[in-house]
Amino acid sequence: MKSYSFERAAELGRYIIETGATVRQTAAVFKVSKSTVHKDVTDRLKAYKPELYKQVAKVLKKNKDERHIRGGIATREKYLMSKKP
């Protein structure tokens, strides 16, 4: 595997830790696919920098635990916008 893949994985991981960003938000910032971000921060990062992976895993777990809340807020805003005259 190319070394730049591991470096990109570390860079994505540091970004997620610093900002608390979701996989989707991180993918948008770095202009890569969500699949690439997920593969990098789970598989590649775990092999390359396990200590960084553990920190990223905590953030990803928090984001996963909160996603139903964010979805509910988005749906609420969507319907509030559609009711405005």
Side-chain angles (χ1 to χ4, degrees), residues 12-26 55-56 58-64 66 70:
L12 293 170
R14 284 190 294 271
Y15 179 78
I16 289 172
I17 291 167
E18 291 170 4
T19 62
T22 63
V23 170
R24 186 181 296 256
Q25 291 166 338
T26 303
Q55 294 174 339
V56 171
K58 287 180 186 177
V59 175
L60 293 179
K61 182 177 179 347
K62 179 179 110 8
N63 287 340
K64 187 174 181 182
E66 294 175 350
R70 286 191 303 273

Side-chain angles (χ1 to χ4, degrees), residues 8-51:
R8 181 184 64 211
E11 186 177 357
L12 293 170
R14 284 190 294 271
Y15 179 78
I16 289 172
I17 291 167
E18 291 170 4
T19 62
T22 63
V23 170
R24 186 181 296 256
Q25 291 166 338
T26 303
V29 169
F30 286 88
K31 295 183 176 34
V32 294
S33 71
K34 295 181 301 187
S35 300
T36 300
V37 172
H38 191 267
K39 177 80 171 178
D40 281 353
V41 299
T42 55
D43 298 344
R44 293 185 181 125
L45 197 57
K46 190 174 189 177
Y48 181 57
K49 294 196 176 204
E51 65 284 344

